Amino acid sequence: MKIAIITGTRAEFFLLKNLILALKKDKFFELNFYVTGSHLSKTFGNTIKDIKKFKIKINKIVDIAVHKDSTKNISNSISIGINKFSKIFHETKPDLILILGDRYEILSCAISANINRIPIAHIHGGERTEGLIDEGIRHAITKLSHIHFVTTKEYYKRVIQLGENSKNVHNVGALGVELIHSTKLMNKSQLEKKFNVKFKKSIVLITYHPETLETKKNDKNLKCFFSSLKSLKKTTLIFTMPNADIGFKKIVNEIEKFVRKNENSHFFKSLGQVKYYSICNLSDFMIGNSSSGIIEMPSFKKPTINLGKRQQGRLKPLSVLDCDHNLSEIISKIKIARSKKFLKKIKNIKNPYYFGETSKKILNKLKKTNLNNILIKKFNDQV
């Protein structure tokens, strides 16, 4: 099977990494690998260099001009992506493309594959993020796709609710959680040496992305969020880069301003898989609005303070504390996240996104899938 995998962001690549390496080793598959999106942007750390460390052959580099954060520029990136991916698929003619998630870069790829009559396998469908334009994009990709790899039973039901054939929907768990279990983590002293930073006793990981629907509140919410961080005394704050969404530059500016004024704060454009998960493991808690705090952080038995509406609708483990952009509420949730009572409560939680051997399950399902006539889709009505 000639299979093409596309990656557009640093987080998405590390989720896909184990699966890509498994496909590369398996003689049943001929792997084509395309890199696009923020991987090619200096603003986001030129993360294509992280991919090259794993000696994965990159067949195509697809620059869709992900540099600015206006609706006009993002629409332009989608347009460029449709045009460039259409040409690539017409030339290379893969049997199947495999994509993950809900971002606009991936939507352009899915549209191109659909026009070129190439079947699509989609990972992480059926999920909900009600505070984002990604909500609609994700479900659009589901309807353009033919094989679905979902992460929980709830999302399995939702993809079928969208009219997809249950025979082509597979509940396999999350690749990111599988990756945690195969990653050798660094200890505190190793990280300090790597970063040339002396950590305080407490460490907090911060990943904050734009909310792309209620944009009028973003400035007010951002101000409230950074005000709450001032309450974290004697704590090392680790900021990661926001996604390339509408409004990311404002967040980056505020992070850089905060880091300049607070010597215990550090901002990293790309930590990479090992350093990121190591910090998750060492931190007191994560705060922000990242899906990683909901899907991956629970595997470390650590709290997540989830702000606002960006992740509203996702299935959340007990370790996740939802919180509005309200200063007193955020400070209250920080106290709960650090309390012995709450830490005891989540000590033995099970991550609902972890099934084990996710990559292997995806490979086995792909091998057993007959691609003949799979392009012909019948909407399965729910009675």
Side-chain angles (χ1 to χ4, degrees):
M1 182 186 290
K2 187 177 182 180
I3 186 168
I5 295 186
I6 296 88
T7 176
T9 70
R10 70 189 191 281
E12 173 198 78
F13 168 72
F14 285 114
L15 296 182
L16 287 167
K17 190 202 76 175
N18 277 5
L19 178 60
I20 293 168
L21 293 174
L23 285 164
K24 182 183 174 184
K25 290 179 182 178
D26 197 313
K27 293 181 180 179
F28 181 85
F29 299 98
E30 178 188 337
L31 177 64
N32 278 218
F33 184 51
Y34 308 148
V35 176
T36 187
S38 60
H39 283 303
L40 312 178
S41 169
K42 184 179 179 181
T43 302
F44 292 91
N46 286 326
T47 50
I48 189 171
K49 67 180 185 296
D50 295 325
I51 296 172
K52 291 178 179 177
K53 291 176 184 177
F54 295 98
K55 298 181 180 179
I56 300 168
K57 181 183 177 181
I58 299 172
N59 298 86
K60 297 285 184 181
I61 293 174
V62 189
D63 190 350
I64 61 171
V66 176
H67 308 298
K68 299 180 181 179
D69 64 350
S70 69
T71 53
K72 179 182 177 182
N73 283 284
I74 287 175
S75 297
N76 186 52
S77 291
I78 295 171
S79 177
I80 294 170
I82 292 171
N83 183 39
K84 288 190 174 183
F85 279 115
S86 289
K87 289 179 180 178
I88 290 168
F89 294 149
H90 180 72
E91 293 168 1
T92 60
K93 294 180 172 57
D95 298 315
L96 178 79
I97 71 160
L98 190 148
I99 51 180
L100 182 149
D102 48 28
R103 293 192 54 77
Y104 59 85
E105 304 97 316
I106 299 305
L107 175 62
S108 71
C109 177
I111 291 170
S112 302
N114 196 263
I115 291 168
N116 281 275
R117 300 184 297 281
I118 299 168
I120 302 169
H122 181 221
I123 303 170
H124 274 279
E127 301 180 14
R128 286 164 60 193
T129 48
E130 295 170 5
L132 300 173
I133 60 171
D134 299 18
E135 170 78 357
I137 291 174
R138 183 186 307 106
H139 300 326
I141 293 173
T142 293
K143 293 310 302 176
L144 290 168
S145 300
H146 308 84
I147 307 165
H148 310 273
F149 297 108
V150 301
T151 58
T152 71
K153 186 177 180 181
E154 180 180 325
Y155 302 149
Y156 171 86
K157 291 179 179 178
R158 188 166 294 126
V159 170
I160 294 170
Q161 183 186 355
L162 287 165
E164 296 302 293
N165 188 335
S166 61
K167 292 180 181 180
N168 295 324
V169 185
H170 311 291
N171 186 9
V172 296
L175 286 166
V177 185
E178 175 196 53
L179 186 60
I180 291 169
H181 289 264
S182 63
T183 299
K184 185 178 180 181
L185 302 176
M186 300 170 72
N187 60 36
K188 192 173 182 178
S189 61
Q190 287 173 323
L191 281 173
E192 286 179 329
K193 187 176 180 181
K194 191 75 175 177
F195 295 147
N196 194 25
V197 168
K198 184 66 177 176
F199 290 136
K200 298 291 184 181
K201 184 177 180 181
S202 294
I203 301 170
V204 171
L205 178 59
I206 303 162
T207 303
Y208 192 89
H209 305 296
E211 289 189 0
T212 53
L213 285 182
E214 295 185 355
T215 54
K216 291 180 180 179
K217 296 181 180 180
N218 278 351
D219 287 352
K220 181 181 177 182
N221 290 345
L222 203 56
K223 185 178 180 181
C224 173
F225 173 54
F226 278 96
S227 294
S228 72
L229 297 181
K230 294 175 184 178
S231 69
L232 296 169
K233 307 296 183 183
K234 298 179 180 179
T235 302
T236 298
L237 306 181
I238 305 292
F239 289 89
T240 65
M241 187 77 178
N243 285 341
D245 294 325
I246 299 165
F248 80 84
K249 286 191 176 180
K250 175 71 174 177
I251 294 174
V252 170
N253 290 339
E254 290 300 316
I255 292 172
E256 290 175 341
K257 189 190 303 181
F258 187 91
V259 169
R260 284 196 298 269
K261 293 180 180 179
N262 297 272
E263 61 179 14
N264 294 329
S265 301
H266 307 276
F267 178 33
F268 298 94
K269 289 185 176 181
S270 179
L271 286 165
Q273 165 202 335
V274 176
K275 293 191 287 291
Y276 178 75
Y277 286 149
S278 298
I279 290 173
C280 286
N281 186 51
L282 291 169
S283 63
D284 290 13
F285 59 89
M286 182 190 291
I287 186 169
N289 55 13
S290 170
S291 61
S292 181
I294 295 168
I295 297 173
E296 293 153 54
M297 196 64 168
S299 287
F300 298 99
K301 317 295 184 187
K302 298 293 181 72
T304 295
I305 300 173
N306 175 57
L307 297 174
K309 295 182 179 180
R310 184 180 173 95
Q311 302 300 336
Q312 188 170 305
R314 280 198 194 274
L315 175 66
K316 298 181 184 115
L318 288 173
S319 57
V320 178
L321 296 163
D322 284 330
C323 187
D324 289 329
H325 284 90
N326 176 282
L327 184 57
S328 60
E329 187 180 351
I330 297 172
I331 293 172
S332 174
K333 291 295 170 70
I334 289 172
K335 289 179 180 177
I336 293 171
R338 283 179 156 169
S339 69
K340 290 182 180 179
K341 182 179 179 181
F342 188 73
L343 293 174
K344 184 179 179 181
K345 180 181 177 181
I346 67 172
K347 185 178 179 180
N348 297 310
I349 62 164
K350 292 183 178 180
N351 191 331
Y353 293 91
Y354 181 58
F355 286 23
E357 296 189 316
T358 299
S359 295
K360 185 177 179 180
K361 288 174 182 175
I362 291 174
L363 257 67
N364 288 339
K365 292 294 183 183
L366 289 175
K367 286 180 178 180
K368 294 175 183 178
T369 300
N370 185 354
L371 297 180
N372 293 329
N373 299 319
I374 202 168
L375 288 171
I376 301 170
K377 291 180 62 172
K378 176 184 176 182
F379 194 99
N380 288 269
D381 294 306
Q382 300 296 302
V383 179

